[in-house]
Amino acid sequence: MKRVGIMGGTFDPIHLAHLLAAEEARFRFNLDKVIFVPCGVPVHKKPYEVTHAEHRYVMVLLAIAGNPYFEVSRIEIERQGPSYAIDTVRAFKQLYGDGVTLYFITGADAVLEILTWKDADKLVELCRFIAVTRPGYDLSRLREKLGERYANAIDVLPIPGMDISSTGIRQRARNGEPIRYMVPEAVYDYIMRHRLYSDKAVK
Ligand code: ATP
Ligand code: MG
């Protein structure tokens, strides 16, 4: 194994754009596999109560079933305290050794905030970044925005735009609007069965 992708996120819930980003990164960068890493405690306090980690983990598991290149890791869920990418990358670095290049996959919104990540300067030494395009976020002039050192660690990957977000999906569910076909069918069933985002969301 030479090249491993890490797809971090809150995944509350995991949706089709997450899967599309991971698959496109895997294919374009010839990754041996992509590991989805649902966070335990999000670093930046979210403006809502994040769904229990076990539910988010199971939804990722259901979503990636059938793709032999995709895995899910419990590393951030099991770790105490906030989920910092630097800790996760260090752990995978130790696991896989120096012969493997790690590719941290993020969307455009996340990569534009990289300067605020814990030990960001160290992080860009330990892994490479694949920044996928996302509707509403501008990845041009990345060099001016982030500076040479960071820009050199980032490859921009254009993917077919999907204007969906977990926030939007939760909102739609709350309003009783459809979320089907925004998430994999198995994830949809899981959300409905456990009434994750709305009491009303019963099939
Ligand atoms: P939320 O609205 O709760 O923040 P989200 O849809 O942004 O949810 P996250 O779990 O925050 O999903 O994101 C995980 C990763 O996937 C991030 O790097 C994010 O930028 C990326 N991502 C999420 N949605 C998209 C999208 N529609 N297109 C491209 N990248 C995306
Ligand atoms: Mg997000």
Side-chain angles (χ1 to χ4, degrees):
M1 218 163 34
K2 286 273 180 313
R3 301 148 78 85
V4 169
I6 301 172
M7 177 86 198
T10 310
F11 302 126
D12 191 11
I14 188 167
H15 55 65
L16 294 188
H18 295 135
L19 295 160
L20 180 75
E23 177 67 358
E24 195 68 9
R26 179 194 71 75
F27 180 77
R28 300 288 169 200
F29 287 79
N30 216 357
L31 306 179
D32 297 294
K33 62 177 171 181
V34 176
I35 307 171
F36 286 73
V37 186
C39 71
V41 181
V43 174
H44 303 286
K45 194 174 168 359
K46 296 257 185 179
Y48 73 100
E49 202 171 325
V50 171
T51 303
H52 196 285
E54 294 302 333
H55 279 313
R56 293 184 288 109
Y57 170 76
V58 172
M59 287 192 282
V60 173
L61 209 57
L62 292 169
I64 66 171
N67 187 328
Y69 298 106
F70 287 179
E71 278 178 18
V72 58
S73 165
R74 293 181 58 85
I75 189 166
E76 293 193 353
I77 294 175
E78 312 250 306
R79 197 189 298 140
Q80 293 297 307
S83 298
Y84 294 112
I86 184 76
D87 298 332
T88 301
V89 167
R90 281 209 169 105
F92 282 131
K93 198 90 198 149
Q94 199 157 31
L95 184 67
Y96 290 111
D98 285 336
V100 168
T101 307
L102 299 176
Y103 290 81
F104 202 98
I105 304 163
T106 72
D109 57 312
V111 85
L112 287 169
E113 290 180 352
I114 194 170
L115 298 178
T116 69
W117 292 21
K118 187 184 171 207
D119 295 337
D121 51 335
K122 190 79 202 146
L123 195 57
V124 289
E125 278 174 19
L126 293 177
C127 66
R128 294 210 45 89
F129 278 79
I130 299 172
V132 304
T133 49
R134 180 171 190 173
Y137 298 91
D138 181 14
L139 279 186
S140 65
R141 298 162 38 93
L142 204 61
R143 209 156 278 275
E144 289 93 314
K145 284 177 191 153
L146 299 180
E148 196 74 9
R149 215 170 96 69
Y150 287 89
N152 286 342
I154 302 168
D155 291 308
V156 171
L157 174 63
I159 62 168
M162 290 183 103
D163 195 4
I164 56 180
S165 67
S166 302
T167 301
I169 290 170
R170 292 191 304 271
Q171 221 156 44
R172 290 175 70 98
R174 241 193 337 270
N175 296 339
E177 294 162 351
I179 60 167
R180 199 168 195 170
Y181 309 124
M182 294 185 165
V183 298
E185 197 69 4
V187 172
Y188 174 76
D189 287 342
Y190 188 89
I191 292 170
M192 292 303 147
R193 192 155 4 102
H194 295 273
R195 302 182 188 199
L196 287 192
Y197 303 112
S198 165
D199 294 342
K200 284 177 287 185
V202 203
K203 229 198 235 174

